[in-house]
Amino acid sequence: MKRILRSAAFAAATLLVASAASAQTTPAKTPTKTTTPAKTPSKASSTTDQVLSDVERDLGVFREWVNDHLDKADVVTKRELPRIKEEYETQSSRIDRGLDSLTAAGKREYAGLKNRYETWEARQERLEKQASQPETAQQTQTRMLGENVNVTTARASEMTDLYSRFIDYVRTNRKNWTPEDWAQASVVLTRLNQRYEKVRDLIEVDDRLRIRSWQAEFRTLEQAKKTKEAISE
């Protein structure tokens, strides 16, 4: 009986030792760390940012274009205006398509640039229309004397001032004159001279000398222009 009990105790002890050894050799399980993938911008968000970037860039180009053309070209030729209009339509249409993507400040700036250009274009068309209509002799005289004057009834006391205005206009503008401009100026001077001859005796001597010198100056300038053109040819 005692032998049986010893055998049972030995078996139990062996089992405990094996269990302890097994516990030491089996690594403890550690909790698995869950990695959350980084969020990437959605396709819709990326597209919106691209549209905003494009329309802002177009606005910058349009701003430079308006400043360049309107500041440097106060008056353009009839041939240049259609090209400028076409460039304006191209640039403004591109911005119009993405207008909703602009900030409030961007929209205000764009509206201001458009208004500035349209005012400038209207002025160019008005000047072109005026240029296409022949100027009457009276209009030419008014332009050169600075006011609408009936030279045929001008008083003797007014003649010196009228001649002075005329020669000042000639000095200021003659560099870009065509033969037609010189011919128009000559007509105005002829009108002044005709009135001068009628009231000459009522004009002070000093003023008569000034008028005679201005008459001679105009003819000298006119002849110098003709000589220069002849040499160029």
Side-chain angles (χ1 to χ4, degrees), residues 36-85:
T36 304
K39 291 184 178 181
T40 57
S42 65
K43 184 177 181 181
S45 175
S46 178
T47 302
T48 300
D49 291 343
Q50 183 64 35
V51 170
L52 183 60
S53 176
D54 288 346
V55 73
E56 286 177 340
R57 184 181 65 249
D58 291 339
L59 178 59
V61 172
F62 184 64
R63 181 191 308 116
E64 292 181 3
W65 182 89
V66 169
N67 290 336
D68 181 65
H69 284 72
L70 273 60
D71 290 345
K72 295 182 180 179
D74 184 54
V75 178
V76 299
T77 64
K78 183 178 181 180
R79 182 176 57 185
E80 291 175 314
L81 190 57
R83 174 183 57 78
I84 294 175
K85 285 183 179 181

Side-chain angles (χ1 to χ4, degrees), residues 55 58 88-102 110 114:
V55 73
D58 291 339
Y88 168 78
E89 291 297 334
T90 299
Q91 296 204 44
S92 61
S93 296
R94 186 181 299 122
I95 297 174
D96 287 341
R97 289 193 293 269
L99 187 60
D100 291 340
S101 300
L102 281 176
Y110 177 53
K114 288 185 68 175

Side-chain angles (χ1 to χ4, degrees), residues 119-232:
T119 300
W120 176 86
E121 182 183 294
R123 177 174 180 270
Q124 299 304 314
E125 291 178 341
R126 184 172 64 254
L127 292 173
E128 181 182 327
K129 183 177 180 181
Q130 292 174 353
S132 65
Q133 298 174 346
E135 188 177 56
T136 65
Q138 183 59 44
Q139 288 172 330
T140 301
Q141 176 183 296
T142 299
R143 172 165 55 85
M144 293 185 176
L145 299 184
E147 64 176 325
N148 189 1
V149 179
N150 185 351
V151 174
T152 58
T153 60
R155 295 189 296 272
S157 58
E158 298 173 324
M159 295 306 299
T160 305
D161 181 55
L162 292 176
Y163 273 101
S164 176
R165 294 183 193 180
F166 171 78
I167 200 64
D168 283 344
Y169 184 90
V170 173
R171 291 167 179 165
T172 302
N173 297 278
R174 65 185 176 83
K175 290 183 179 180
N176 298 319
W177 273 3
T178 64
E180 181 180 0
D181 293 319
W182 283 101
Q184 291 173 336
S186 183
V187 169
V188 175
L189 180 60
T190 298
R191 288 184 173 187
L192 289 172
N193 291 343
Q194 289 173 345
R195 183 58 182 170
Y196 169 77
E197 292 299 328
K198 292 182 178 179
V199 297
R200 179 176 54 184
D201 294 341
L202 301 176
I203 300 175
E204 296 287 340
V205 174
D206 288 344
D207 286 337
R208 291 207 302 265
L209 290 175
R210 292 190 186 93
I211 290 173
R212 293 295 297 273
S213 68
W214 290 334
Q215 291 170 336
E217 180 181 350
F218 175 82
R219 296 307 177 190
T220 299
L221 293 174
E222 183 182 33
Q223 187 58 46
K225 178 68 173 180
K226 291 179 179 179
T227 302
K228 183 177 179 180
E229 289 176 347
I231 294 174
S232 299

Side-chain angles (χ1 to χ4, degrees), residues 27-35:
K29 292 184 178 180
T30 56
T32 304
K33 184 177 181 180
T34 304
T35 302

